[in-house]
Amino acid sequence: MNLSMSLRTSAMRLPKHPAITAGGTTQSYGVLEDRVGRLAAGLKSRLRLARGSRVGLAMENSADYLMILYGVWRAGLVAVPMNAKLHAKEISFILRNSDCKLCFATPDVAERLGSESRGNLPRIVVAGTRDLEQLLANEPVTAVASAPEDEAWLFYTSGTTGRPKGAVLSHRNLMFMSHCYYADIDHVDERDVKIHAAPLSHASGLYAIPHLAKGSHQIVLAGSFDPDQIYDLLALHENVTLFGAPTMVTRLVNHGRAGTAAVKNLKTLYFGGAPMYVSDLERALELFGPRLTQIYGQGESPMTITSSPKHLLGQSCRPRREALLASCGFARTGVEVKVVDENGQPVGADEIGEVITRSDCVMQGYWDNAEANAKSLRDGWLWTGDLGSMDAEGFLTLKDRSKDMIISGGSNIYPRELEEVLLKHPSVLECAVIGVPDAEWGEVVTAFVSLRPGHEVSDVALDRLCLDNVARYKRPRSYHRVEVLPKSSYGKILKTELRAQVAANRIKEEPDG
Ligand code: AMP
């Protein structure tokens, strides 16, 4: 099984059906399949890349992204998608670390890479130029020899601590991920439209796989996330599926067009990758109804550890509703999930421990990193580094990444608990809580808040809110108001950046209200 052959199945059945729309042009499934086959031929016969060679994709979202991804697979090669916003040094590190033999780059990234030392860097092919078109001038390859265990995608972790690590995902891993999509999230067919408003190098691109295998129409957006553009598309297309990091969902909710009729065209809005706070989710459910699905996964088990299905999130009078909204759902079909202590022994219901998982979605291992493999893969289980608790019904609630947990005066404090409370305040738009090193307490709890436009709130009011909801020792000792919280290009709030700003004393404060 090679993932690219599922595109061929769709193309044989639906040659004229739109496959990808981007930058104002649409490629049909027939055209896409033809270009994928031609590129595969160019990679194999012109560039003579041997089966299993790695090929980098340092590309912004663009019309050719998915064509190149599938062309790489059709040629029996391995894709190494990278966040196009990375620094040229970081991209160069990944290209060298993964031993890429070739790299496709969009012009902006190619330009940045051009200023990097070329030593040991592979050849760069610039997408959208003659460079690429020349590689397509071949008779298409329509079949490929491959085994399910062959590597398909090296998913480089964001590397917030140390160097990024390349999680090796096989064709079987991503096929299992796709089957789980159909089992737990949605049935998909050619009547569906999938908007890619987030980078294709991450979650959105991974879920193009189940969609292309069923003939749905991919609309690829470039540039930064623009809620207006999403509402424009919702007015034009039916049966739309969209992925958003929680911060993107919140931006859609806070937009003036949130309550308009176009929302009826939204089939599914799935979100994950970072905590979705209960108050934000409540608002999203009010506006979008039973169209929201939460997923929990990580590059090492892509998109597929737990999920909260649409029909459950949509039930407004379910017992323990707040607990359900705070949870990231239950184990995906065919996936085992446990919460364990440091010895791997399951902890009791509702007790906090590390989340571990075992399934056909779990990576083959990190590339060339025995130390990280020994830590993360034990007896077939993936240790996620996430702390959470599971209730008696099997619903998992994530607390924090173990590295984000605060230890103050010897007590464990989970930032997410405080973030949930601060977001109850009507003036607070976004917030993040971190531990700041302190000689007396080890760490002190520090909150960053950004406020809704035109709103003000005092430290005293925020402190009172915390005292009303959590134990006294957990409450933040200081509040910083910021215009916007730093975010990754995937929309995740960057706590590492906040810690660095505190260390460098670089907080740009808004005045205390
Ligand atoms: P990445 O490998 O970049 O996709 O990041 C994966 C990490 O994002 C996980 O290990 C979690 O810490 C976090 N994450 C993913 N999904 C969720 C979710 N639904 N709720 C809270 N955190 C999440």
Side-chain angles (χ1 to χ4, degrees), residues 328-350:
C328 57
F330 52 89
R332 301 288 296 275
T333 306
V335 175
E336 290 175 88
V337 183
K338 291 199 287 198
V339 177
V340 299
D341 64 19
E342 60 275 17
N343 301 315
Q345 294 306 313
V347 299
D350 300 317

Side-chain angles (χ1 to χ4, degrees), residues 155-159 202-203 206 246 271-276 293-303 305-308 326-329 384-387 397-404 416 488 490 492:
F155 186 106
Y156 272 80
T157 57
S158 41
H202 205 257
L206 283 162
F271 58 89
M276 173 59 127
T293 295
Q294 166 148 207
I295 54 166
Y296 162 50
Q298 57 176 203
E300 293 81 347
S301 178
M303 321 295 283
I305 301 177
T306 64
S307 70
S308 304
S327 125
C328 57
T384 61
D386 290 317
L387 298 176
T397 302
L398 292 178
K399 301 296 171 191
D400 279 287
R401 302 266 323 142
S402 43
K403 64 180 167 36
D404 287 333
R416 179 164 176 185
S488 73
Y490 302 130
K492 295 195 197 205

